[in-house]
Amino acid sequence: MPANPDTVPLSRAQPQDSARKTSDTIPPRTDSTAADTTGLATDTTVVDTTYMPKLSKDSLDAPVNYKAKDSIVLQIPTKRFYLYGNANTKYKTVDLTAERMNFSQETGVLEATTAKDTSGKAFGRPVLKDGEQNFDSDTLRYNFNSQRAKIYNTRSQYGEGYIHSQQTKREADNTIFGFKNGYTTCNLDTPHFQFRARKIKVIPDKLVISGPANLEIEGVPTPLFIPFAIFPITQGQRSGILPPQYVVNAQKGVGLENGGYYLGLGEHFDLTMRGDVYSYGSWSLTASPTYRVRYRYNGGLNLSFATTRFGDPAVKSEFTRSRDFRVTWNHSMDSKARPGVNFGANVNFGTSSYNQYNVFDYYTRVNNNIGSSISFSKTWQGKPYNLTMSLNHQQNLSTKDIFISFPDASFNVNTIYPFQPKELVGAPKWYQKIGISYSTVLRNSVNFKDTMFLKKEMFDRLQTGMQHTIPVSFSIPVGTFTLSPGINYSEYWYTRKMIRSWNPHRFNPATDTLGGIDTTYQTGFFAARQASASVSLSTAMYGMYVFKKTSKIKAIRHVMRPTVSLSYQPNLARSAYDSLRYGFDPEDVSRVSYFDGSVVGVPGEGRAGLISFGLDNNLEMKVASKKDTSAAKEKKIKLLDGFGINGSYNLIADSFKLSTFSIYARTNLFDKVNISASGNIDPYVVDRRGHRLDKYVWSAGKLSLGRLTNANITMSTSFQSNDKKSKEKEKTKEEIEDQELTGDAAMQAQARQMQMVRNNPGEYVDFDIPWRIDLSYSLTYSKSIIPDSGGVVVNFNQYLNFNGDFSLTPKWKVGLNSGYDFINHEIAYTNMYISRDLHCWQMSINLIPFGTYRQFSITISPKSGLLRDLRINRTRQFYDL
């Protein structure tokens, strides 16, 4: 029988000819004539009861569609169908493909098998697809009546896992029972590893459950047995146990880390509980709830408590205990939830010793500064003003100093033009360009040691201040120049006044001498004011040098932007200052402010008539393209993004009229090397005792702007070979970004991932990049002269940081993160790692060879996230406390 390429629907109870006849049968029709009430005869057609053909008891409730590439054979006496050559059968959601199939109408069983080529090798394995289930096997039998199937030597995939079974039974409800099975996450036909289990049950879209299982590696059974196993095959929120990790800690002993429980409480809330316990008596507990309301807000909280024990409790002189806590909170608000309103939080607060005893990440342990920020902002739509309120916290873990600023508030009115009409016609008049704005700042802050938290000493140190600023400005074009006059008024409000006085009878224990400063505080309302008027003139000048046509360098363009401003400041802050005597000599007197150290600053004392000047430069080069020498293909290269100088001259001051010069430069050479530099130059000379003299350096005939008091330069660059799979990774990244992952979940997942990367960089290398190197260099310099002694204090720091990796082979990767201190001639924190790609597994060796925190670890773990906790880890940590 020739092959029929078209899909032909069949019912098992009716042969093809019978079905066709049934569809063509027309029920008989009888005509009768009847008289109506009018006595007129009318022809009427009367239809009898519709004829319904009887279906056999073994008929199917849906058609079966089949086709074959080679031939289809029908044996009528035995009621069997034979399909040869890439056969395909579809019934409801079942889609079966195999090289050969045969179907019996009497039993309703469809059998699919392979075929053999001339060399005796089997090909055309049966593949059954039913929804999300896929079965690849040697032989498959499917019963259309019971919708059950029996499959031999099958390989099926469930999520990230694969199951190899000698025999598989599929029930009508899609439940799977396997006999002599192997479970693995390796996608090879002969997997590198698998869990061997005699019986396995698969509940579709839920779980894979097995009895006792033995881990087999490269076909070799291992001594590792597990009594049972449960592998989830669903996505989404599921509550369950988080298995701990075995570690050995030199400080705390043998322990189990990160064990706990995850509790999913719906789409708006979940909770993760993790704990650590060690043999020396130390322990820690962390609760991490997260919350979310889609399109409105989301956030997460971490509450950590830890107790660390040292020594033997029986020997009190050697036994110590540290109780620590850490609180972190992040909250973000969807910008579309309430337009113009935003609330966000990023909190990190805790005891100073928490990192020392409970964090093993080097970068976190050596970072002595943590901080928090909680902010609320509101912008009135269609209005020129906005409000911001915040709480800020900074903490130095080394000195145990804490700074808290709360509440901090600012209210701003954007520039408005009171003389400008609503509908401007033509060029605006000069007075129509006058703009007025307003800003006010409220500051409340306190500095204290962490032992004073929420105690009276903390509240005694609280400072409050407020600043109001009203600037008036406008600009007038004058040819190629821009003239910008302006007036600025500021007012400062304080609630505390500091009064300092010289006490010749006070004993100073630090110097073992008499004489000192007594300080008292007076509370109340105090105000200080400051005003200034200014006018500035700015322009831009261009210069270009054109090279010969035969030169590869076509031109160099130089842009200069000079700015000159004149400002006057009256002495409105005289009442905010006092003369303070600080020694027995009558000349030991200086002017100090009553409000030094205020949170809103202090206005400057005295009159000032300043001429401020600045010059910014930019250099660009135009070169011919190597591939195309036409003008259209010329390339611009930035030589210097900016370099310049700033300073000022006080016309009214009695001495030291010229300020220090501030110089800077920045560039990005060839879009590869970032360079930035800055410094300050003092134009005045100093005497032998280190006192500045009102005399310029160049007055003695020296060709110099002055003494370089401080400077810094930083350079950084990065190089790497081409990524073989850059396009695929970019596509994957876009798919991840498109997923509906809440902000708090994304933030916490990213934080956990970054911590794991820092702890074990060898586990997260990219084998697709053959080599990579990052370099950064920093140089800082400062030179100060000590008055009276003439001594010079020079601080000079020079540091090089480098990190990178390279592939010894496509499967071996070696990496190094380190740095070098040129001043102290010391190698900085160094982390070395070696990684080996084992296809479905990965091995990494991490080594921190020297320093305060030393560590060695070797880890072998599956790549699959499903078996993330199935890892072999051996870690040794050493501390110099």
Side-chain angles (χ1 to χ4, degrees), residues 288-404:
S288 304
T290 64
Y291 55 90
R292 67 202 66 83
V293 176
R294 184 175 294 183
Y295 308 124
R296 295 186 63 184
Y297 59 82
N298 56 76
L301 181 69
N302 280 325
L303 300 173
S304 300
F305 301 91
T307 295
T308 307
R309 298 176 49 167
F310 303 94
D312 187 354
V315 184
K316 295 184 178 181
S317 60
E318 298 180 359
F319 177 74
T320 58
R321 174 185 292 146
S322 176
R323 292 186 174 94
D324 302 293
F325 75 92
R326 172 62 53 82
V327 178
T328 62
W329 175 41
N330 65 81
H331 178 94
S332 61
M333 182 176 175
D334 195 315
S335 59
K336 298 179 182 178
R338 295 185 62 185
V341 177
N342 186 44
F343 176 77
N346 190 356
V347 175
N348 186 359
F349 179 76
T351 56
S352 300
S353 56
Y354 181 88
N355 281 3
Q356 182 179 359
Y357 302 132
N358 300 281
V359 177
F360 306 109
D361 169 26
Y362 174 83
Y363 290 101
T364 304
R365 295 192 67 161
V366 299
N367 182 18
N368 289 324
N369 296 292
I370 60 176
S372 307
S373 175
I374 302 174
S375 62
F376 169 82
S377 63
K378 179 174 177 58
T379 301
W380 283 264
Q381 301 294 326
K383 303 294 183 180
Y385 39 83
N386 57 80
L387 171 68
T388 301
M389 301 181 68
S390 65
L391 179 151
N392 298 288
H393 149 257
Q394 297 293 329
Q395 185 174 355
N396 189 304
L397 303 179
S398 177
T399 62
K400 300 184 178 181
D401 289 324
I402 298 177
F403 170 81
I404 296 178

Side-chain angles (χ1 to χ4, degrees), residues 482-498:
T482 301
L483 184 67
S484 303
I487 300 174
N488 189 80
Y489 174 80
S490 298
E491 183 161 322
Y492 302 80
W493 293 351
Y494 308 97
T495 59
R496 188 173 68 168
K497 185 177 182 179
M498 180 171 57

Side-chain angles (χ1 to χ4, degrees), residues 607-723:
R607 296 188 305 156
L610 297 177
I611 297 178
S612 301
F613 51 87
L615 179 63
D616 184 66
N617 299 267
N618 176 271
L619 271 181
E620 289 183 343
M621 180 173 64
K622 186 180 291 185
V623 298
S625 174
K626 295 181 180 179
K627 298 180 181 179
D628 194 340
T629 58
S630 62
K633 296 297 182 180
E634 291 178 346
K635 183 180 179 181
K636 289 184 179 180
I637 298 177
K638 291 184 178 181
L639 300 178
L640 283 172
D641 291 339
F643 66 99
I645 185 171
N646 294 302
S648 63
Y649 186 85
N650 192 342
L651 298 171
I652 302 177
D654 297 331
S655 60
F656 301 102
K657 296 183 178 183
L658 186 62
S659 70
T660 58
F661 299 111
S662 174
I663 56 176
Y664 63 90
R666 62 184 183 276
T667 186
N668 185 3
L669 292 178
F670 313 108
D671 294 328
K672 272 295 182 182
V673 182
N674 292 301
I675 304 175
S676 63
S678 63
N680 288 288
I681 298 176
D682 188 353
Y684 295 97
V685 297
V686 295
D687 60 13
R688 294 181 179 180
R689 296 185 62 188
H691 293 279
R692 296 175 75 201
L693 302 178
D694 192 12
K695 183 179 180 181
Y696 299 125
V697 173
W698 55 82
S699 63
K702 293 183 179 181
L703 186 61
S704 172
L705 287 177
R707 297 178 297 106
L708 183 65
T709 57
N710 61 77
N712 69 82
I713 181 172
T714 60
M715 295 185 294
S716 63
T717 185
S718 178
F719 301 95
Q720 73 174 42
S721 58
N722 294 329
D723 190 346

Side-chain angles (χ1 to χ4, degrees), residues 121-133:
K121 184 178 179 180
F123 68 96
R125 288 169 58 88
V127 177
L128 175 66
K129 297 181 180 179
D130 188 357
E132 299 295 327
Q133 292 182 346

Side-chain angles (χ1 to χ4, degrees), residues 370-596:
I370 60 176
S372 307
S373 175
I374 302 174
S375 62
F376 169 82
S377 63
K378 179 174 177 58
T379 301
W380 283 264
Q381 301 294 326
K383 303 294 183 180
Y385 39 83
N386 57 80
L387 171 68
T388 301
M389 301 181 68
S390 65
L391 179 151
N392 298 288
H393 149 257
Q394 297 293 329
Q395 185 174 355
N396 189 304
L397 303 179
S398 177
T399 62
K400 300 184 178 181
D401 289 324
I402 298 177
F403 170 81
I404 296 178
S405 178
F406 174 76
D408 262 16
S410 64
F411 180 77
N412 300 289
V413 178
N414 300 331
T415 303
I416 58 176
Y417 301 91
F419 305 108
Q420 190 177 97
K422 293 183 179 180
E423 295 182 3
L424 185 63
V425 179
K429 306 294 184 181
W430 69 268
Y431 59 85
Q432 293 177 341
K433 295 182 179 180
I434 296 177
I436 302 175
S437 61
Y438 168 78
S439 65
T440 182
V441 177
L442 172 66
R443 295 281 186 266
N444 293 271
S445 67
V446 59
N447 278 295
F448 59 95
K449 295 292 184 179
D450 60 358
T451 55
M452 302 178 184
F453 185 57
L454 296 180
K455 295 181 179 179
K456 182 179 182 299
E457 293 88 341
M458 168 184 163
F459 295 100
D460 289 341
R461 294 168 176 255
L462 181 65
Q463 294 189 51
T464 302
M466 199 168 185
Q467 179 186 2
H468 308 269
T469 304
I470 302 177
V472 180
S473 62
F474 65 100
S475 61
I476 305 172
V478 181
T480 59
F481 295 86
T482 301
L483 184 67
S484 303
I487 300 174
N488 189 80
Y489 174 80
S490 298
E491 183 161 322
Y492 302 80
W493 293 351
Y494 308 97
T495 59
R496 188 173 68 168
K497 185 177 182 179
M498 180 171 57
I499 302 174
R500 289 172 286 186
S501 61
W502 168 251
N503 184 357
H505 305 291
R506 180 176 179 179
F507 177 71
N508 189 347
T511 59
D512 196 23
T513 59
L514 293 176
I517 304 296
D518 290 337
T519 303
T520 59
Y521 294 94
Q522 179 181 350
T523 58
F525 176 78
F526 310 95
R529 298 164 184 84
Q530 186 177 38
S532 65
S534 64
V535 58
S536 64
L537 191 67
S538 62
T539 188
M541 295 182 289
Y542 301 86
M544 182 176 292
Y545 180 81
V546 181
F547 291 83
K548 295 180 180 180
K549 294 184 178 180
T550 57
S551 175
K552 292 183 178 180
I553 301 176
K554 298 302 180 181
I556 292 180
R557 190 180 75 160
H558 179 205
V559 182
M560 293 190 301
R561 295 180 175 87
T563 302
V564 179
S565 64
L566 175 64
S567 63
Y568 172 74
Q569 175 182 303
N571 188 13
L572 301 181
R574 184 183 298 108
S575 60
Y577 286 78
D578 188 21
S579 296
L580 173 64
R581 183 175 178 178
Y582 58 88
F584 291 97
D585 193 324
E587 295 184 358
D588 294 340
V589 178
S590 65
R591 297 284 291 176
V592 296
S593 174
Y594 293 116
F595 312 107
D596 280 343

